[in-house]
């Protein structure tokens, strides 16, 4: 049921690993970038690059989970076995643990990052992340999990390139 979804260890793993990875990268990049070096909007470069690297990792993971589901890799046959039976209301633990919950936590992380990092403090970014997180909550109901491999998985692959472009635009000349 959707109540038990809230108590899965998957949440813990993602809620802990994303900020820890960010802090680790900030610490490592602090050895390579001067603390005074800021982006065009005034965010420390080490923080912005760390955020973007965490984003690439999350997007890549979610994209690969979508590919695993779509191409039946590693014995995962949920798309064609479980989800095809009822493409509206069927439920897949794989989809929830590897697409929906990671996306939900990632969007919550992005929302908080929008308030912390000057470059991301834009109303369009904040609203986007809040709305995508809400959609993930609806998907946990379960609702439309059949389409998750594409609308969550494959679409995140485009964000890997967009993250690179955002990083380049934000860095000082």
């Amino acid at each position: 049921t959707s109540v038990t979804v809230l108590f899965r260890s998957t949440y813990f793993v993602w809620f802990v690993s994303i900020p820890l990875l960010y802090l680790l990268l900030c610490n490592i990049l602090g050895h390579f970038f001067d603390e005074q070096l800021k982006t065009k909007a005034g965010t420390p470069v080490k923080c912005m690059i760390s955020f973007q690297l965490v984003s690439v990792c999350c997007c890549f993971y979610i994209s690969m989970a979508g590919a695993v589901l779509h191409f039946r890799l590693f014995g995962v046959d949920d798309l064609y076995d479980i989800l095809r039976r009822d493409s509206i209301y069927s439920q897949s633990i794989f989809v929830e643990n590897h697409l929906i919950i990671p996306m939900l936590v990632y969007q919550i992380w992005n929302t908080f990052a929008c308030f912390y990092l000057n470059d991301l403090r834009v109303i369009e970014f904040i609203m986007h992340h809040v709305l995508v997180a809400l959609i993930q909550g609806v998907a946990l109901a379960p609702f439309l999990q059949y389409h998750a491999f594409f609308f969550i998985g494959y679409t995140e692959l485009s964000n890997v390139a967009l993250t690179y472009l955002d990083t380049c635009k934000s860095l000082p000349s």
Side-chain angles (χ1 to χ4, degrees):
T1 66
S2 54
V3 174
T4 59
V5 169
L6 298 175
F7 299 104
R8 288 205 192 132
S9 60
T10 310
Y11 285 106
F12 176 77
V13 169
W14 283 91
F15 270 118
V16 169
S17 62
I18 290 176
L20 279 179
L21 180 58
Y22 173 77
L23 292 172
L24 177 68
L25 288 169
C26 278
N27 191 356
I28 292 169
L29 292 177
H31 297 290
F32 298 97
F33 293 101
D34 181 14
E35 194 67 40
Q36 304 303 322
L37 186 60
K38 309 272 189 204
T39 64
K40 293 174 184 171
T43 302
V45 167
K46 70 175 187 171
C47 295
M48 191 62 189
I49 292 176
S50 297
F51 171 80
Q52 299 293 22
L53 288 172
V54 169
S55 293
V56 166
C57 291
C58 291
C59 292
F60 186 74
Y61 176 87
I62 292 167
S63 297
M64 291 304 100
V68 165
L69 185 66
H70 185 225
F71 293 113
R72 301 177 178 180
L73 302 175
F74 310 111
V76 176
D77 202 24
D78 289 16
L79 182 65
Y80 302 98
D81 182 27
I82 298 169
L83 296 174
R84 186 169 270 171
R85 287 186 210 140
D86 181 356
S87 63
I88 306 293
Y89 297 109
S90 56
Q91 181 178 20
S92 163
I93 301 303
F94 179 87
V95 168
E96 290 177 353
N97 285 341
H98 297 284
L99 289 165
I100 298 171
I101 292 172
M103 179 61 91
L104 173 64
V105 175
Y106 172 58
Q107 294 305 328
I108 291 170
W109 161 256
N110 282 339
T111 303
F112 283 112
C114 284
F115 293 105
Y116 176 68
L117 301 171
N118 294 340
D119 294 79
L120 306 175
R121 203 171 298 140
V122 180
I123 191 67
E124 293 86 359
F125 283 176
I126 295 167
M127 292 307 300
H128 166 77
H129 297 310
V130 167
L131 291 172
V132 172
L134 289 172
I135 290 168
Q136 302 318 302
V138 169
L140 287 171
F143 187 66
L144 295 177
Q145 290 187 10
Y146 175 79
H147 304 284
F149 81 92
F150 180 79
F151 289 106
I152 298 173
Y154 286 151
T155 58
E156 282 306 297
L157 197 54
S158 67
N159 286 333
V160 173
L162 290 173
T163 299
Y164 174 75
L165 293 174
D166 286 343
T167 303
C168 291
K169 284 194 289 187
S170 70
L171 293 177
S173 302

